[in-house]
């Protein structure tokens, strides 16, 4: 194109035939995925839709007949260890993924689940040592006729959905420094968006968008570092500039030392807005030049998207090294919910949930988008035990309440500043064994995603009810080696059990009902328009409960504990409900590896030692599908 013409008249006035074709193809791909997500016979996105609701309008299975639900078929994956996430169902084909080595099977639902094609990645077995919390993979993405797999070794792969033939691949993360991947890739518009794992290796994580056609890099946003690296724009936190304060706390008795703690500053004493907070809030070098360079901020959760605002939402994980005393400051932008423009990656707003995290309250859980009372809302159930509701357009914090009263590390969240009011009794410090902290590092909810029903207006949340002791220790950084800097033990909370499942009102910030579970409810939730909620448990149950009351209506015991997410789909006029089984994840990793010391598996060995009474180890992977 003539550059003078381009400057004078603008790019938008003239397009080559090739570019027109590319744009129309891209638009078709996005439109196809949107239609698939609106068709409740399909399950084409990791959490059903862009809003991460885990909600389906299918209602053939209802409260009156759910007691008649029977096992329709199973498929053994041939792989052991934790099977998180869920398969995709697209046009009468189910795409099933596995734990490491992340095999894929395309099953023909029209022909007794015959394997149409399979894909077996060639990954170095040593990659498994990088995966802190079992050999999990959280699923697949679909768009533009392609199935997308994010391998544990950092390679993002695009496969032809009909044949399984590899179309392109790209290396997302660097395993040499401890980076890996466990997230599901998310297709949004003409992009495949993927994250980064490795917070326990002193990595510096990011979220990255690639072109759906050829895997070309479009943008990458780091969780820590300069505003340029984090892709923070000029109008970032425009409506809530106090989110960009230099520090939300003043030190008490020395802050980062035994006996020290932190007092939340009132809003009139906050210094804001500040630039380059991803550098300035890491006040002590840890490993290389600056602490932020090993700042963690992993992005291995679920990503949501609002097409009208063109914003995607996701959470970042814990700051690098669990010992808080060696990283004074708020440690931005770890533990943060970001809203980013999908096309540019530039952040519109960001809110840090646990500034200067002292407990590994990894903030990467899903954010669910919903509308109520004329407002566009976003709700997030964080590991730290608080449930947050935001105005998703500008990030204004509307609700922040404890999910369960046993949460004790903070007394409350100040809605004016967004700052947690920490309880000094539960601060953690190097060489000090802090007792009775609730929740444990697992959080009140970990990666197991909640669901939302627009019919009841309630969220359905699988939960952990676990507390801990926590002792940070000195730990030297070595690239590619574990860098945790803490030992912990975990035990049941005040309820005397390890888990629960609740319904939550996102505007009132209150439970509608709550059921106790013997172990953590580690299976992601599904809710349907017939007001049924499905989820799985570590002691091998798949359950259906009444969405209004929580009353248990049906259960079936599968072959191994459930850490996968329940789905539903329709085929030839019949509704099916399915879930992956295969125990693992953080709760099951110690059992899978035969670890028995109380602190093994980052505390899971002691806390979940009774799992061996209900599960063979390692957990065997299988897809379980039910129908009337």
């Amino acid at each position: 194109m003539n550059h003078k013409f381009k400057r004078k008249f603008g790019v938008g006035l003239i397009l080559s035939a090739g570019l027109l074709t590319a744009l129309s193809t891209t638009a078709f791909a996005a439109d196809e995925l949107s239609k698939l997500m609106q068709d409740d016979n399909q399950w084409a996105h990791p959490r059903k839709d862009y809003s991460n609701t885990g909600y389906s309008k299918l209602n053939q299975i209802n409260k009156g007949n759910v007691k008649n639900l029977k096992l329709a078929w199973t498929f053994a994956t041939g792989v052991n260890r934790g099977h998180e996430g869920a398969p995709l169902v697209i046009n009468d084909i189910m795409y099933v993924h596995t734990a490491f080595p992340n095999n894929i099977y395309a099953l023909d639902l029209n022909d007794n689940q015959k394997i149409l094609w399979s894909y077996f990645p060639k990954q170095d077995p040593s990659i498994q040592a990088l995966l802190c919390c079992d050999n999990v993979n959280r699923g697949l993405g679909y768009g533009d006729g392609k199935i997308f797999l994010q391998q544990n070794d950092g390679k993002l792969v695009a496969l032809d959905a009909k044949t399984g033939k590899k179309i392109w691949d790209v290396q997302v993360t660097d395993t040499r420094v401890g980076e890996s991947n466990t997230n599901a890739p998310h297709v949004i518009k003409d992009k495949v968006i993927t994250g980064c794992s490795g917070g326990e290796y002193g990595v510096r994580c990011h979220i990255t968008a690639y072109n759906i056609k050829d895997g070309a890099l479009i943008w990458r946003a780091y969780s820590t570092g300069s505003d340029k690296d984090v892709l923070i724009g000029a109008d970032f936190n425009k409506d809530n500039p106090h989110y960009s304060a230099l520090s939300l706390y003043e030190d008490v008795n020395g802050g980062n030392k035994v006996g020290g703690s932190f007092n939340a500053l009132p809003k009139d004493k906050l210094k804001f807005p500040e630039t380059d907070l991803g550098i300035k809030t890491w006040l002590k070098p840890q490993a290389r030049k600056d602490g932020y360079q090993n700042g963690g901020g992993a992005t291995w959760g679920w990503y949501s998207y609002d097409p009208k605002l063109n914003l995607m939402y996701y959470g970042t994980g814990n700051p690098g090294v669990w010992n808080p005393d060696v990283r004074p400051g708020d440690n931005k932008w770890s533990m943060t919910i970001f809203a980013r423009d999908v096309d540019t990656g530039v952040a519109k707003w960001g809110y840090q949930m646990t500034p200067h995290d002292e407990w590994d309250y990894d903030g990467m859980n899903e954010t669910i988008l919903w509308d109520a009372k004329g407002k566009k809302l976003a709700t997030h159930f964080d590991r730290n035990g608080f449930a947050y509701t935001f105005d998703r357009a500008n990030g204004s914090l509307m609700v922040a309440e404890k999910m369960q009263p046993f949460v004790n590390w903070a007394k409350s969240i100040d809605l004016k500043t967004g700052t947690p009011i920490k309880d000094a009794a539960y601060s953690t410090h190097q060489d000090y064994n802090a007792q009775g902290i609730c929740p444990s590092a697992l959080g009140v909810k970990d990666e197991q995603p909640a669901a939302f029903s627009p019919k009841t207006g309630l969220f359905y949340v699988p939960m952990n009810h676990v507390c801990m002791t926590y002792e940070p220790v000195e730990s030297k950084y070595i690239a590619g080696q574990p860098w945790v800097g803490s030992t912990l033990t975990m035990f049941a909370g005040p309820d005397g059990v390890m888990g629960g499942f609740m319904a939550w009102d996102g505007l009132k910030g209150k439970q509608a009902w709550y059921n106790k579970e013997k172990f953590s409810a580690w299976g992601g939730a599904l809710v349907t328009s017939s007001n049924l909620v499905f989820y799985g448990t570590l002691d091998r149950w798949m359950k259906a409960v009444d969405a209004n009351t929580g009353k248990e209506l049906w259960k079936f015991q599968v072959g191994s504990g459930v850490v996968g997410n329940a789905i539903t789909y329709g085929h030839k006029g019949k509704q099916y409900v399915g879930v992956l089984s295969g125990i693992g994840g953080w709760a099951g990793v110690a059992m899978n590896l035969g670890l028995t010391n109380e602190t093994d598996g980052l505390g899971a060995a002691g806390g979940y030692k009774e799992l061996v009474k209900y599960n063979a180890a390692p957990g065997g992977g299988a897809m379980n599908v039910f129908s009337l």
Side-chain angles (χ1 to χ4, degrees), residues 571-593:
H571 182 63
K572 294 184 177 178
K574 196 168 189 176
Q575 182 184 356
Y576 294 84
V577 174
V579 73
L580 282 167
S581 58
I583 196 166
W586 191 351
V589 66
M591 187 204 77
N592 276 341
L593 294 174

Short mmCIF file of all heavy atoms in Angstrom, two decimals, residues 571-593:
data_model
loop_
_atom_site.label_atom_id
_atom_site.label_comp_id
_atom_site.label_asym_id
_atom_site.label_seq_id
_atom_site.Cartn_x
_atom_site.Cartn_y
_atom_site.Cartn_z
N HIS A 571 -27.58 -35.33 22.70
CA HIS A 571 -27.25 -36.12 21.52
C HIS A 571 -28.45 -36.95 21.11
O HIS A 571 -28.97 -37.74 21.90
CB HIS A 571 -26.05 -37.03 21.79
CG HIS A 571 -25.62 -37.85 20.62
ND1 HIS A 571 -25.15 -37.29 19.46
CD2 HIS A 571 -25.62 -39.20 20.42
CE1 HIS A 571 -24.86 -38.24 18.60
NE2 HIS A 571 -25.14 -39.41 19.15
N LYS A 572 -28.93 -36.71 19.88
CA LYS A 572 -30.08 -37.43 19.33
C LYS A 572 -31.28 -37.36 20.28
O LYS A 572 -31.94 -38.36 20.56
CB LYS A 572 -29.72 -38.88 19.02
CG LYS A 572 -28.69 -39.01 17.90
CD LYS A 572 -28.40 -40.47 17.55
CE LYS A 572 -27.43 -40.55 16.37
NZ LYS A 572 -27.10 -41.95 16.02
N GLY A 573 -31.53 -36.15 20.79
CA GLY A 573 -32.71 -35.91 21.61
C GLY A 573 -32.58 -36.33 23.05
O GLY A 573 -33.56 -36.23 23.80
N LYS A 574 -31.42 -36.75 23.47
CA LYS A 574 -31.24 -37.23 24.84
C LYS A 574 -30.18 -36.38 25.54
O LYS A 574 -29.15 -36.04 24.96
CB LYS A 574 -30.80 -38.70 24.83
CG LYS A 574 -30.95 -39.42 26.15
CD LYS A 574 -30.78 -40.93 25.94
CE LYS A 574 -31.15 -41.68 27.21
NZ LYS A 574 -31.10 -43.15 27.01
N GLN A 575 -30.45 -36.06 26.80
CA GLN A 575 -29.49 -35.29 27.59
C GLN A 575 -28.54 -36.23 28.34
O GLN A 575 -28.97 -37.24 28.90
CB GLN A 575 -30.21 -34.40 28.61
CG GLN A 575 -29.25 -33.53 29.42
CD GLN A 575 -29.95 -32.71 30.50
OE1 GLN A 575 -31.18 -32.72 30.61
NE2 GLN A 575 -29.17 -31.99 31.29
N TYR A 576 -27.28 -35.87 28.32
CA TYR A 576 -26.24 -36.62 29.04
C TYR A 576 -25.52 -35.70 30.01
O TYR A 576 -25.37 -34.50 29.76
CB TYR A 576 -25.23 -37.21 28.06
CG TYR A 576 -25.80 -38.26 27.14
CD1 TYR A 576 -26.46 -37.89 25.96
CD2 TYR A 576 -25.70 -39.62 27.43
CE1 TYR A 576 -26.99 -38.84 25.10
CE2 TYR A 576 -26.23 -40.59 26.58
CZ TYR A 576 -26.88 -40.19 25.42
OH TYR A 576 -27.41 -41.14 24.58
N VAL A 577 -25.07 -36.27 31.10
CA VAL A 577 -24.23 -35.57 32.07
C VAL A 577 -22.95 -36.38 32.20
O VAL A 577 -22.99 -37.63 32.27
CB VAL A 577 -24.91 -35.44 33.44
CG1 VAL A 577 -23.96 -34.85 34.47
CG2 VAL A 577 -26.17 -34.58 33.33
N GLY A 578 -21.81 -35.70 32.22
CA GLY A 578 -20.55 -36.43 32.28
C GLY A 578 -19.53 -35.75 33.17
O GLY A 578 -19.61 -34.56 33.45
N VAL A 579 -18.53 -36.54 33.59
CA VAL A 579 -17.43 -36.00 34.39
C VAL A 579 -16.22 -36.90 34.26
O VAL A 579 -16.35 -38.13 34.15
CB VAL A 579 -17.85 -35.84 35.86
CG1 VAL A 579 -17.95 -37.19 36.57
CG2 VAL A 579 -16.91 -34.91 36.61
N LEU A 580 -15.04 -36.29 34.25
CA LEU A 580 -13.80 -37.04 34.31
C LEU A 580 -13.53 -37.45 35.75
O LEU A 580 -13.68 -36.64 36.67
CB LEU A 580 -12.63 -36.20 33.82
CG LEU A 580 -12.45 -36.03 32.31
CD1 LEU A 580 -11.46 -34.92 32.02
CD2 LEU A 580 -11.98 -37.35 31.68
N SER A 581 -13.12 -38.69 35.96
CA SER A 581 -12.64 -39.12 37.26
C SER A 581 -11.16 -39.45 37.13
O SER A 581 -10.63 -39.63 36.05
CB SER A 581 -13.43 -40.33 37.78
OG SER A 581 -13.36 -41.41 36.86
N GLY A 582 -10.50 -39.55 38.27
CA GLY A 582 -9.06 -39.77 38.32
C GLY A 582 -8.50 -38.82 39.35
O GLY A 582 -8.25 -37.65 39.07
N ILE A 583 -8.36 -39.31 40.58
CA ILE A 583 -8.02 -38.42 41.69
C ILE A 583 -6.63 -37.83 41.52
O ILE A 583 -5.74 -38.43 40.94
CB ILE A 583 -8.13 -39.17 43.04
CG1 ILE A 583 -8.16 -38.17 44.20
CG2 ILE A 583 -7.02 -40.20 43.21
CD1 ILE A 583 -8.59 -38.76 45.51
N GLY A 584 -6.46 -36.62 42.02
CA GLY A 584 -5.19 -35.94 41.91
C GLY A 584 -5.34 -34.49 42.27
O GLY A 584 -6.12 -34.13 43.16
N GLY A 585 -4.62 -33.62 41.55
CA GLY A 585 -4.57 -32.24 41.96
C GLY A 585 -3.82 -32.12 43.27
O GLY A 585 -3.23 -33.08 43.77
N TRP A 586 -3.84 -30.92 43.86
CA TRP A 586 -3.09 -30.71 45.10
C TRP A 586 -3.59 -31.65 46.19
O TRP A 586 -2.80 -32.26 46.91
CB TRP A 586 -3.23 -29.25 45.53
CG TRP A 586 -2.30 -28.84 46.64
CD1 TRP A 586 -1.49 -29.65 47.40
CD2 TRP A 586 -2.05 -27.52 47.10
NE1 TRP A 586 -0.77 -28.91 48.31
CE2 TRP A 586 -1.10 -27.60 48.14
CE3 TRP A 586 -2.54 -26.27 46.74
CZ2 TRP A 586 -0.64 -26.47 48.82
CZ3 TRP A 586 -2.08 -25.14 47.41
CH2 TRP A 586 -1.14 -25.25 48.44
N ALA A 587 -4.90 -31.80 46.32
CA ALA A 587 -5.43 -32.65 47.39
C ALA A 587 -4.99 -34.10 47.26
O ALA A 587 -4.81 -34.79 48.27
CB ALA A 587 -6.96 -32.56 47.40
N GLY A 588 -4.80 -34.57 46.01
CA GLY A 588 -4.49 -35.98 45.81
C GLY A 588 -3.07 -36.28 45.41
O GLY A 588 -2.71 -37.45 45.23
N VAL A 589 -2.21 -35.26 45.27
CA VAL A 589 -0.88 -35.51 44.73
C VAL A 589 -0.05 -36.38 45.67
O VAL A 589 0.69 -37.27 45.22
CB VAL A 589 -0.15 -34.18 44.41
CG1 VAL A 589 0.14 -33.36 45.66
CG2 VAL A 589 1.14 -34.45 43.63
N ALA A 590 -0.14 -36.15 46.98
CA ALA A 590 0.66 -36.93 47.92
C ALA A 590 0.23 -38.39 47.89
O ALA A 590 1.08 -39.30 47.90
CB ALA A 590 0.52 -36.36 49.33
N MET A 591 -1.08 -38.64 47.82
CA MET A 591 -1.58 -40.01 47.73
C MET A 591 -1.09 -40.68 46.46
O MET A 591 -0.65 -41.83 46.47
CB MET A 591 -3.12 -40.00 47.78
CG MET A 591 -3.74 -41.39 47.86
SD MET A 591 -5.42 -41.43 47.22
CE MET A 591 -5.09 -41.40 45.47
N ASN A 592 -1.14 -39.96 45.33
CA ASN A 592 -0.70 -40.52 44.06
C ASN A 592 0.77 -40.92 44.08
O ASN A 592 1.18 -41.87 43.42
CB ASN A 592 -0.95 -39.52 42.93
CG ASN A 592 -2.37 -39.57 42.40
OD1 ASN A 592 -3.09 -40.55 42.60
ND2 ASN A 592 -2.78 -38.52 41.72
N LEU A 593 1.58 -40.17 44.83
CA LEU A 593 3.02 -40.42 44.87
C LEU A 593 3.44 -41.27 46.06
O LEU A 593 4.63 -41.54 46.23
CB LEU A 593 3.77 -39.08 44.90
CG LEU A 593 3.64 -38.21 43.65
CD1 LEU A 593 4.30 -36.85 43.87
CD2 LEU A 593 4.25 -38.90 42.44
#
